[in-house]
Amino acid sequence: MTKHRIIWLVLGFLFCVEIGLLFGVKWFVPDWKRFLPPWSNGKPIPYWVQELDDFEDGPFYDSKKDVERQHAADNLGKLGASAKPAIPALIRAFKSRRPLTRPYSGGRFSSGDGTPEAASEALAKIGPDAIPALTAALTDPDALTRVYAARTLWKLKKNSANLMSVLITAWRDKETFRRDECVRIAATVTLGEIGFVEPMKILPILSEGMQDDDEEIVYGAMRSLAVMAPRVKAANVIIVNALNDPRERVRTRAASILRENGDGIMALMWNTPNVSAW
């Protein structure tokens, strides 16, 4: 075998190896991913779980830590069902870490911890695998955990059975509201979302709430009705009728909600009995 032939054979062999690597990587790398742990935004699940659990109670509010924990929940949600190992951590994130109480430190712009809602969205994206743990969390000692467990189960199952007692109890509990307004806010929004789909189940509860002596209960009922309003005309009617409530602050709140609900309310008002003022 001549020297030139050996060189050509070596070059041909190297060329074949290069082509094999090129197409082999293209064809088989996707299959290799099945054997790698799921990552989100360049980080594995344990990293995001640690970020989610990284919270220390203290006298000072750390807004940066709030954002980081919400970011962790968002990234776990991006993994969908692959984030199943993070379910316990996401449920732990429901706990009331930064209660919203009066007087508000930030005035009218004060808000509660956004992590529970982010964790709820992540668990909804994980899917049915989260249902057993969420069902168990309905009896958790922490009120916000119970409400967000019910809220997330509604997102997953769209079935309000076994959820109403948790939500209504949290919605009406004045002592819990005093300790953390986030509990009633989350229950209020969830009742409104259930009412959007099952109005006949929710409207009697909210109508009764509108007559409560506690104005905060009335405000909560109006918030739930506002969630229902785009689809349920009767919800708009109840809010409009609140413009005739003898309590000035209730009338003011009703007018504010109606303005926020957009166009079409004026037409409804002029065709609704018992409405005398805007």
Side-chain angles (χ1 to χ4, degrees):
M1 185 178 293
T2 64
K3 181 177 179 180
H4 289 90
R5 184 174 295 179
I6 293 173
I7 293 173
W8 280 109
L9 284 172
V10 170
L11 290 174
F13 174 77
L14 293 175
F15 176 77
C16 291
V17 168
E18 184 177 355
I19 294 297
L21 288 173
L22 178 64
F23 287 96
V25 168
K26 181 178 179 180
W27 290 337
F28 296 110
V29 161
D31 290 336
W32 294 353
K33 292 181 180 178
R34 291 180 302 160
F35 304 102
L36 297 175
W39 284 40
S40 178
N41 203 17
K43 301 288 192 305
I45 289 176
Y47 173 87
W48 296 120
V49 167
Q50 183 177 356
E51 285 285 289
L52 202 57
D53 283 336
D54 185 12
F55 185 94
E56 295 183 4
D57 294 310
F60 301 108
Y61 163 52
D62 186 351
S63 60
K64 180 180 179 182
K65 180 54 63 180
D66 268 8
V67 172
E68 289 173 352
R69 295 179 72 234
Q70 292 176 49
H71 185 58
D74 291 340
N75 276 286
L76 289 168
K78 290 176 183 177
L79 293 172
S82 298
K84 180 179 177 180
I87 290 174
L90 287 164
I91 291 179
R92 288 196 297 272
F94 286 163
K95 185 176 180 180
S96 181
R97 301 288 190 179
R98 183 162 60 84
L100 181 63
T101 57
R102 303 179 188 187
Y104 304 134
S105 59
R108 63 180 297 185
F109 300 105
S110 298
S111 62
D113 184 4
T115 305
E117 181 64 30
S120 175
E121 288 293 328
L123 286 160
K125 291 175 182 176
I126 289 173
D129 285 336
I131 290 176
L134 288 166
T135 302
L138 291 173
T139 57
D140 192 274
D142 180 71
L144 194 61
T145 297
R146 295 194 299 272
V147 168
Y148 267 103
R151 178 164 172 71
T152 311
L153 284 168
W154 168 253
K155 293 176 184 178
L156 283 166
K157 300 170 67 176
K158 288 295 185 285
N159 184 343
S160 61
N162 304 322
L163 307 181
M164 294 300 294
S165 61
V166 171
L167 294 169
I168 293 173
T169 299
W171 182 57
R172 288 191 171 278
D173 192 324
K174 297 179 182 181
E175 179 59 26
T176 299
F177 178 76
R178 186 187 65 80
R179 293 196 306 266
D180 186 1
E181 295 184 21
C182 291
V183 177
R184 181 178 288 173
I185 291 170
T188 292
V189 174
T190 307
L191 286 171
E193 290 175 354
I194 294 173
F196 193 84
V197 179
E198 303 175 359
M200 293 303 101
K201 180 178 286 188
I202 300 298
L203 279 173
I205 298 168
L206 300 181
S207 295
E208 181 181 349
M210 291 292 293
Q211 308 306 316
D212 201 282
D213 293 336
D214 184 347
E215 291 186 10
E216 294 295 341
I217 292 285
V218 177
Y219 300 158
M222 280 196 281
R223 290 191 195 100
S224 295
L225 290 164
V227 175
M228 299 168 59
R231 182 173 180 179
V232 183
K233 180 179 178 180
N236 279 314
V237 173
I238 294 171
I239 301 173
V240 169
N241 283 333
L243 294 171
N244 289 320
D245 193 283
R247 294 164 290 189
E248 182 180 357
R249 291 196 301 174
V250 171
R251 296 195 300 272
T252 301
R253 184 67 62 94
S256 175
I257 288 176
L258 289 168
R259 281 195 296 268
E260 291 171 2
N261 276 1
D263 299 332
I265 297 299
M266 293 298 293
L268 174 64
M269 288 171 56
W270 300 126
N271 291 281
T272 301
N274 304 322
V275 177
S276 59
W278 169 248

